[in-house]
Amino acid sequence: ENPAYQVEFDTKIDAGGYIEAKDWMPEAYRKTLIRQISQHAHSEIVGMLPEGNWITRAPTLKRKAILLAKVQDEGGHGLYLYAAAETLGVSRDELLEALHTGKAKYSSIFNYPTLTWADIGVIGWLVDGAAIMNQIPLCKCSYGPYARAMVRICKEESFHQRQGYDLLLQMMKGTEEQREMVQDAVNRWWWPSIMMFGPHDKDSVHSGQSARWGIKRISNDDLRQKFVDATVEQAKVLGVTMPDPELKWNAERGHHDFGAIDWDEFWNVVNGHGQGNVDRLAARVKAWDDGAWVREAALEHERKRAAREHQ
Ligand code: ACO
């Protein structure tokens, strides 16, 4: 460790400045960023699967075009994030290897199945809504390449959230059966969505250090509360109810109270035993294996190009 560099780093962090790829940084800071950014990248890539499942069954051409664009955006987010992680000295191959062998985590939410078309709307509204709540503060996180990637990602996420809410508003104007389909999807996705913010602050192992380093600007519980407060109002406009009898406004706190989260379910999913974990990983590994010829062809093309240049 170099104390002079450490002082420079701490001063920059305390002043709310950005650390850049070539700046000196503590090893633990680098490791934390690689962990978080790569988990985030994996979440985007695995997150393409539950919605990709509905592209061929979208009810109209307009909805299909929207869904296709959204799923492609998620692929793009994964790529910017892998690139941001690579600036920290890790290779994309190493990161993908960790995903494919089940060593790396990705967001719990993407292990739930998409059973009906209403799920597509609810993912946009609740899942992307929760993602934005968590990701807006990351646009100001202390690591420059991550912060800058998050700016564009958040703009695209807000389009994703809007399209989901719009889809649901339209279904709510439809038949009784369609309204029931929306309510059923809300019932299944509400709890997993609020679990996305991670464990309670008191149980969050990384929060203290990440806050100190300016990676985490707002805590897991505070973000979850902001999300609940914002979403309850949107549910009223939509005409759906959340599956939580304890959800109610608390005038004293100026926030909504809500029921206890089932952390056994959360950890069960995080540790690989949710409904979709096995299928999600198998789909990613298959895509990687099926794409081997593309990687080989690209390398061969590059080899020939380099050989021509040296002639
Ligand atoms: N799903 C899976 N794992 C989770 C989740 C979740 N929803 N929430 C927390 N965890 C994991 C953490 O990764 C950590 O595991 P690790 O030590 O093996 O890395 C452990 O639970 C303890 O949690 P925390 O100490 O609270 O971890 P952290 O400080 O990293 O906070 C958080 C978790 C809030 C998810 C943070 O990593 C973050 O902001 N990440 C960037 C955003 C992101 O990844 N979003 C992905 C979903 S949104 C989308 O892709 C559309």
Side-chain angles (χ1 to χ4, degrees), residues 7 16 27 29 32 45 53 67 81 96 98 101 113 116-117 134 146 154 158 189 221 237-238 241 244 263 267 269 298:
V7 170
E27 263 324 289
Y29 176 82
T32 287
I45 299 291
N53 179 34
L67 184 57
L81 289 166
L96 290 174
T101 52
T116 72
W117 176 249
N134 161 270
Y146 190 27
C154 284
S158 71
W189 289 92
D221 283 327
V237 175
L238 201 55
T241 53
D244 178 2
W263 294 112
W267 289 114
V269 175

Side-chain angles (χ1 to χ4, degrees), residues 107-108 126-135 190-201 204 207 216 218-228 231 261 263 266:
S107 184
S108 49
L126 298 180
V127 175
D128 295 317
I132 296 169
M133 208 46 107
N134 161 270
Q135 291 175 10
W190 173 248
W191 288 105
S193 299
I194 67 173
M195 289 175 192
M196 281 173 72
F197 295 93
H200 284 312
D201 295 346
S204 163
S207 279
K216 207 173 241 187
I218 307 182
S219 83
N220 295 7
D221 283 327
D222 289 351
L223 286 170
R224 186 169 13 244
Q225 182 71 63
K226 275 164 78 89
F227 174 72
V228 170
T231 311
I261 292 172
W263 294 112
F266 173 76

Side-chain angles (χ1 to χ4, degrees), residues 234-292:
Q234 294 161 2
K236 283 185 198 155
V237 175
L238 201 55
V240 293
T241 53
M242 302 313 190
D244 178 2
E246 291 171 54
L247 182 64
K248 59 173 184 305
W249 178 248
N250 179 331
E252 218 167 282
R253 289 202 310 124
H255 290 293
H256 291 84
D257 290 338
F258 52 95
I261 292 172
D262 181 351
W263 294 112
D264 289 342
E265 173 178 332
F266 173 76
W267 289 114
N268 193 47
V269 175
V270 172
N271 291 324
H273 313 297
Q275 290 179 60
N277 299 62
V278 171
D279 289 350
R280 297 289 184 247
L281 265 199
R284 288 312 319 158
V285 170
K286 182 175 186 305
W288 176 255
D289 291 344
D290 290 351

Side-chain angles (χ1 to χ4, degrees), residues 35 39-40 105-106 108 134 196 198 204-206 216 220:
R35 177 185 65 79
Q39 287 177 358
H40 193 167
K105 287 197 171 76
Y106 57 87
S108 49
N134 161 270
M196 281 173 72
S204 163
V205 287
H206 302 295
K216 207 173 241 187
N220 295 7

Side-chain angles (χ1 to χ4, degrees), residues 93-133:
D93 283 350
E94 284 171 76
L95 298 178
L96 290 174
E97 167 80 9
L99 175 67
H100 297 158
T101 52
K103 281 193 212 119
K105 287 197 171 76
Y106 57 87
S107 184
S108 49
I109 195 75
F110 301 117
N111 294 302
Y112 292 84
T114 40
L115 303 181
T116 72
W117 176 249
D119 289 31
I120 299 305
V122 169
I123 287 180
W125 175 38
L126 298 180
V127 175
D128 295 317
I132 296 169
M133 208 46 107

